[in-house]
């Protein structure tokens, strides 16, 4: 927390304490008013009336001031907590995203962010002030000269209410953990429906998609109904305790007034304290719900992010390494997608890669070929640091990737994927995502290299054009060119092309290939390809099958070997793809 935020917290706590003290003394001042009326001059009674009114309304103003200070503080802290959560999520290894639905992760983070502030507000603005108020009330009553039996009854009443509140809190926390599971499931389904709306509509299966959402909502509704029943039970118990306690305490005080052992002012004071006790503790019913939900949300997100993070993902730079193309050395690499597995050792799941070895010199051009599922994209993910690698298996510029912070690794690499993902933002923002401090000249040069000059002329708002969700306003070829420009703008030392032209027509592909060749003249490149015609100029081609390298060499060598690569080429995959 910053110094200013710490000062705000101190001010909020101070105001809560002051407000509780002031409101706790107001019934005592009211008893003075009642006892003094008609016994002394009116001016003395008016002073107590004035003090009583100031105490009642002043306490409200003080507590309102604390709430006023809390609102901006809450937003600042929420933003910081949410950022920390998302940094933690993005720092997880790839296996993390294989086991959780994206919509559910977002919902859990949102709930946990609010949960932290619910806990803080419940303790600072509710539980602490109310507890202090009740303690002061008991002390005042027991030292005010009231008969001991009245004071004891009031004390027992307050303690009983506190015990009931604690039971309420425990019960609601347990039930909320069940309802939150359904809320997370519903959020996941909603995200999937909106993310894949084109597929759903193209198959005409809106009924199935919406039906799954409705069923999830119905399950959640049943869980919330159980939660509501439990809450209503506690409300009824508190109401019964309040009614019974009020009858006993006021009846006993009234009898003391009738017998002459207490004054009318004492009766008014006890009545006021009884009301002042019931009303705040009634608020604790709502506070218990808020606190329980907050603690459960934080615990749920804590379980979600309990896995160890990968190495530091901050914006490190490789200042101690020359800004030259990267050299890559992969030695006997084996990798399996599994819960706790690590690249470099086979687990109990069939490995996606098995004993892969190759060397790529700085500035070299390597191509990866194979059927779908042969391990090509997995190898690219490992080089990007999306999954952890065991030591002594992957080296970049003679550095062991297992010990290299992923921030350094990824800052030196650019990825041009098969599906060019664009954010629902301006074209400029999508380009600057690769390099936020890029100059206008650098942006214009990247656009020119990617062949987007004509597009800039055609778009009425140019770089400020909103490209739509996932770049929906652009054609497939234009999206790939933007992805290419983004990679060029990054000035990478290694570019990984993951089938960037597989979804394009032949003419667009040829034009894009020319741009790629020009842009990567002095950069190390790894190209994953199905269309073999796009990689014939590669220095070396690795043919993968079942996660193993079964052939290697340049285009001519592999054709003359008459193996799997040659079979792909003869079967026509040179143009149409493997």
């Amino acid at each position: 927390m910053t110094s200013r935020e710490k000062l705000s917290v101190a001010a909020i706590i101070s105001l809560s304490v002051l407000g509780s003290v002031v409101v706790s003394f107001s019934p005592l001042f009211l008893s003075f008013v009642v006892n003094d009326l008609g016994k002394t001059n009116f001016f003395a009674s008016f002073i107590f009336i004035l003090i009583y009114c100031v105490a009642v309304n002043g306490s409200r103003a003080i507590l309102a001031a604390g709430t006023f200070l809390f609102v901006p503080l809450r937003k600042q802290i929420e933003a910081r907590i949410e950022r920390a959560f998302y940094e933690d999520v993005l720092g997880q290894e790839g296996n993390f995203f294989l086991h959780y639905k994206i919509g559910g992760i977002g919902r859990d983070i949102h709930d946990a962010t609010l949960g932290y502030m619910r806990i803080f507000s419940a303790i600072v603005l509710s539980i602490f002030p109310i507890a202090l108020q009740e303690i002061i009330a008991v002390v005042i009553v027991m030292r005010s000269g009231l008969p001991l039996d009245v004071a004891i009854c009031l004390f027992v009443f307050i303690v009983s209410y506190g015990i009931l509140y604690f039971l309420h809190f425990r019960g609601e926390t347990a039930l909320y953990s069940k309802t939150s599971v359904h809320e997370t499931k519903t959020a996941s389904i909603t995200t999937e429906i909106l993310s894949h709306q084109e597929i759903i509509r193209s198959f005409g299966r809106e009924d199935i998609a919406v039906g799954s959402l409705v069923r999830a909502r119905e399950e959640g509704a049943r869980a919330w109904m159980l939660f509501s029943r439990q809450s209503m039970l506690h409300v009824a118990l508190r109401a019964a305790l309040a009614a019974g306690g009020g009858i006993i305490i006021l009846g006993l005080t009234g009898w003391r007034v009738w017998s002459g052992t207490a004054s009318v002012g004492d009766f008014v004071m006890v009545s006021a304290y009884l009301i002042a006790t019931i009303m705040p503790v009634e608020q604790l019913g709502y506070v218990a719900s808020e606190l329980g939900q907050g603690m459960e949300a934080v615990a749920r997100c804590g379980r979600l992010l309990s896995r160890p993070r990968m190495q530091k993902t901050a914006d490190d730079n490789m200042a101690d390494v020359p800004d030259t193309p990267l050299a890559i050395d992969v030695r006997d690499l084996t990798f399996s997608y599994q819960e706790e597995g690590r690249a470099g050792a086979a687990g109990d799941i069939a490995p996606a890669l098995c004993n892969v070895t190759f060397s790529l010199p700085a500035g070299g051009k390597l191509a990866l070929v194979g059927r779908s599922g042969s391990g090509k994209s997995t190898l690219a993910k490992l080089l990007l640091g999306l999954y952890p690698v065991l030591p002594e298996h992957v080296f970049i510029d003679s550095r062991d990737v297992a010990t290299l912070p992923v921030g350094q690794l990824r800052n030196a690499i650019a990825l041009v994927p098969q599906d060019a993902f664009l954010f629902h933002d301006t074209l400029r923002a999508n380009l600057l995502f690769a390099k936020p401090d890029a100059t206008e000249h650098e942006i214009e040069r990247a656009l020119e290299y990617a062949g987007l000059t004509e597009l800039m002329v055609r778009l009425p708002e140019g770089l400020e054009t909103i490209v739509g969700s996932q770049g929906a306003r652009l054609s497939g070829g234009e999206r790939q060119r933007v992805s290419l420009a983004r990679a060029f703008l990054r000035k990478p030392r290694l570019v990984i092309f993951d089938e960037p032209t597989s979804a394009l027509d032949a003419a667009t592909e040829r034009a894009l290939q020319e741009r790629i060749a020009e842009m990567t003249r002095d950069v190390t490149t790894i190209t994953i390809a199905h269309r073999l015609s796009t990689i014939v100029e590669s220095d070396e081609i690795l043919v993968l099958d079942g996660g193993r390298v079964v052939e290697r060499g340049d285009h001519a060598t592999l054709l003359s070997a008459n193996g799997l690569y040659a079979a792909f080429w003869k079967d026509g995959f040179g143009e149409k793809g493997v």
Side-chain angles (χ1 to χ4, degrees):
M1 295 178 68
T2 64
S3 299
R4 185 174 181 178
E5 289 171 346
K6 291 178 181 178
L7 185 62
S8 296
V9 171
I12 292 169
I13 294 175
S14 300
L15 289 171
S16 296
V17 171
L18 181 59
S20 298
V21 171
V22 171
V23 76
S24 297
F25 278 94
S26 58
L28 181 63
F29 297 141
L30 182 60
S31 70
F32 292 161
V33 171
V34 173
N35 287 333
D36 284 355
L37 282 175
K39 295 182 180 179
T40 60
N41 61 72
F42 178 73
F43 180 76
S45 299
F46 180 75
I47 295 297
F48 283 120
I49 293 174
L50 182 62
I51 294 174
Y52 170 72
C53 292
V54 170
V56 171
N57 295 286
S59 63
R60 294 176 181 173
I62 293 170
L63 294 175
T67 303
F68 175 78
L69 290 176
F70 176 70
V71 171
L73 176 66
R74 172 174 185 162
K75 294 303 178 182
Q76 294 170 11
I77 297 179
E78 280 181 357
R80 188 176 295 112
I81 292 172
E82 190 170 46
R83 175 177 177 174
F85 273 132
Y86 275 103
E87 286 179 345
D88 205 347
V89 167
L90 294 177
Q92 298 290 325
E93 61 182 66
N95 279 322
F96 173 85
F97 298 96
L98 300 178
H99 295 86
Y100 296 98
K101 292 186 176 180
I102 300 301
I105 295 174
R107 176 58 186 249
D108 285 346
I109 290 176
H110 175 267
D111 288 350
T113 300
L114 297 181
Y116 271 109
M117 300 316 299
R118 281 174 170 171
I119 295 171
F120 179 83
S121 61
I123 294 174
V124 175
L125 298 180
S126 297
I127 296 176
F128 177 68
I130 290 174
L132 181 61
Q133 182 178 331
E134 302 303 324
I135 292 172
I136 294 174
V138 170
V139 171
I140 290 176
V141 168
M142 298 191 73
R143 296 182 62 87
S144 63
L146 277 175
L148 187 60
D149 52 0
V150 175
I152 291 175
C153 285
L154 188 59
F155 174 76
V156 170
F157 173 75
I158 293 174
V159 171
S160 300
Y161 233 103
I163 293 173
L164 189 59
Y165 158 73
F166 176 73
L167 295 175
H168 180 197
F169 166 71
R170 279 183 43 178
E172 289 218 340
T173 301
L175 286 175
Y176 183 73
S177 65
K178 298 179 180 179
T179 61
S180 62
V181 171
H182 294 289
E183 293 294 319
T184 299
K185 180 180 178 180
T186 301
S188 299
I189 295 174
T190 302
T191 300
E192 288 185 343
I193 289 175
L194 296 178
S195 299
H196 305 109
Q197 47 84 20
E198 287 189 358
I199 296 296
I200 293 171
R201 292 190 294 163
S202 63
F203 276 88
R205 288 295 178 261
E206 294 88 345
D207 54 337
I208 295 178
V210 175
S212 64
L213 179 61
V214 169
R215 286 191 295 273
R217 284 290 186 191
E218 290 175 347
E219 292 174 1
R222 287 192 289 270
W224 276 109
M225 183 63 69
L226 183 61
F227 180 85
S228 298
R229 289 174 181 171
Q230 186 78 6
S231 296
M232 288 302 297
L233 175 62
H234 283 286
V235 169
L237 290 174
R238 291 200 305 272
L241 180 60
I247 292 172
I248 294 172
I249 294 172
L250 290 181
L252 182 59
T253 307
W255 179 75
R256 287 294 186 181
V257 173
W258 178 81
S259 64
T261 56
S263 66
V264 175
D266 292 335
F267 182 85
V268 172
M269 181 179 66
V270 171
S271 301
Y273 274 124
L274 192 61
I275 295 172
T277 298
I278 292 174
M279 291 181 63
V281 177
E282 277 295 318
Q283 296 176 15
L284 289 180
Y286 171 75
V287 174
S289 177
E290 288 286 294
L291 184 60
Q293 292 176 23
M295 294 180 68
E296 167 56 27
V298 170
R300 190 170 70 252
C301 199
R303 292 191 295 270
L304 177 71
L305 300 177
S306 60
R307 299 158 171 256
R309 290 181 60 177
M310 297 182 72
Q311 296 185 56
K312 186 180 178 184
T313 59
D315 292 329
D316 300 297
N317 56 62
M318 302 180 77
D320 57 331
V321 180
D323 189 15
T324 55
L326 294 178
I328 300 173
D329 188 16
V330 176
R331 306 172 186 173
D332 196 28
L333 175 64
T334 297
F335 173 77
S336 297
Y337 289 101
Q338 51 189 353
E339 182 74 17
E340 302 295 339
R342 291 291 186 272
D348 53 359
I349 300 176
L353 293 174
C354 188
N355 305 120
V356 174
T357 299
F358 67 89
S359 293
L360 177 62
K365 314 297 180 187
L366 177 72
L368 304 177
V369 175
R371 298 183 179 89
S372 296
S374 61
K376 306 183 298 296
S377 294
T378 297
L379 181 56
K381 292 175 182 177
L382 294 178
L383 293 175
L384 283 164
L386 299 179
Y387 292 85
V389 180
L390 283 175
E392 304 297 325
H393 288 282
V394 180
F395 296 85
I396 293 183
D397 269 0
S398 300
R399 293 185 168 195
D400 192 338
V401 168
T403 62
L404 186 67
V406 291
Q408 290 185 351
L409 179 64
R410 293 171 187 166
N411 279 346
I413 303 175
L415 172 67
V416 181
Q418 177 179 1
D419 298 319
F421 178 81
L422 300 181
F423 295 97
H424 185 76
D425 206 335
T426 64
L427 189 56
R428 180 189 299 277
N430 275 281
L431 292 172
L432 292 179
F433 183 75
K435 188 181 180 183
D437 59 347
T439 65
E440 285 296 319
H441 176 69
E442 290 175 323
I443 294 175
E444 292 174 2
R445 192 160 174 258
L447 292 172
E448 182 181 353
Y449 263 90
L452 288 169
T453 305
E454 292 183 6
L455 177 63
M456 292 299 97
V457 174
R458 192 175 76 247
L459 294 175
E461 298 180 32
L463 285 171
E464 307 308 319
T465 301
I466 301 293
V467 299
S469 178
Q470 300 183 25
R473 294 186 62 178
L474 306 180
S475 68
E478 290 168 344
R479 287 196 296 271
Q480 284 292 5
R481 289 175 185 271
V482 173
S483 180
L484 196 62
R486 184 163 56 190
F488 176 81
L489 191 63
R490 190 174 178 82
K491 295 182 179 179
R493 300 169 58 197
L494 166 66
V495 182
I496 299 176
F497 296 100
D498 190 354
E499 305 176 28
T501 62
S502 62
L504 305 181
D505 59 82
T508 303
E509 181 185 53
R510 282 193 296 270
L512 202 58
Q513 283 297 132
E514 293 175 0
R515 297 290 178 179
I516 290 174
E518 185 178 358
M519 293 171 62
T520 60
R521 188 177 296 115
D522 299 318
V523 179
T524 305
T525 62
I526 296 178
T527 303
I528 298 172
H530 277 171
R531 295 180 184 175
L532 305 187
S533 60
T534 63
I535 57 167
V536 294
E537 301 297 330
S538 298
D539 299 329
E540 186 176 29
I541 300 171
L542 301 184
V543 182
L544 283 83
D545 189 36
R548 298 176 181 271
V549 177
V550 295
E551 295 178 16
R552 68 178 70 220
D554 60 21
H555 176 68
T557 301
L558 291 174
L559 285 182
S560 63
N562 202 29
L564 186 59
Y565 182 87
F568 289 155
W569 186 267
K570 291 176 182 177
D571 287 342
F573 294 133
E575 291 297 330
K576 70 180 182 181
V578 179

